[in-house]
Amino acid sequence: MFGKKAQPPIKSLIATGSRIEGDIKFTEGLRVDGEVFGDIRANPESSSLLVISEAATVQGEVQADHVIINGTVRGPVIARELLELQPKAQIEGDVSYRALEMHQGAVISGQLKPLLVGEEKPLLKLAANNN
């Protein structure tokens, strides 16, 4: 269902060692390897991909269609389509998603809230530990 859709390209990078203070709005794809103190929001009118790497820390709201987290987020996370939580993901805040893939080791300190369209049930996928 979600895997068949082509991913938007990552066109922007917040590199390791960078610190951004303020809100970020982006289109298509963004990868965060540094620190962000502010909200990160994708344009809701186009398909979007947000990657928060193992080295990254975000303090603020995170919002995009497809969100992949392997770092730390302190604030609410809203994935309008798919949320992938990698093994080193640490989230302190409420999480809203349409579909969720969570690997062993990921930690959420907050509520999980599925984004429902009509009467559909949320898609949950437990990722197997490949180690």
Side-chain angles (χ1 to χ4, degrees):
M1 177 171 152
F2 294 104
K4 296 177 183 176
K5 191 172 166 181
Q7 294 289 335
I10 293 178
K11 293 188 173 182
S12 301
L13 168 69
I14 298 171
T16 303
S18 298
R19 177 183 171 124
I20 305 291
E21 295 183 13
D23 296 343
I24 298 171
K25 294 181 182 176
F26 72 97
T27 57
E28 295 191 25
L30 170 65
R31 180 181 172 100
V32 179
D33 291 339
E35 297 177 301
V36 175
F37 293 86
D39 297 343
I40 302 175
R41 291 191 180 106
N43 181 351
E45 296 177 12
S46 64
S47 183
S48 58
L49 170 65
L50 174 62
V51 178
I52 298 173
S53 77
E54 181 180 342
T57 300
V58 176
Q59 191 160 336
E61 181 178 293
V62 168
Q63 191 176 118
D65 290 337
H66 185 174
V67 180
I68 301 171
I69 300 174
N70 201 24
T72 302
V73 176
R74 292 183 187 95
V77 175
I78 300 165
R80 293 184 294 261
E81 293 294 332
L82 174 62
L83 174 61
E84 292 182 48
L85 299 178
Q86 301 294 320
K88 301 210 177 182
Q90 301 275 328
I91 299 175
E92 297 174 18
D94 293 343
V95 175
S96 300
Y97 60 91
R98 184 141 176 234
L100 173 66
E101 180 178 322
M102 186 171 180
H103 290 255
Q104 183 176 350
V107 176
I108 300 172
S109 298
Q111 293 184 344
L112 292 171
K113 301 175 184 177
L115 297 173
L116 300 177
V117 178
E119 293 295 319
E120 75 179 23
K121 293 183 180 179
L123 175 66
L124 297 175
K125 179 180 178 186
L126 298 178
N129 186 0
N130 295 329
N131 295 336

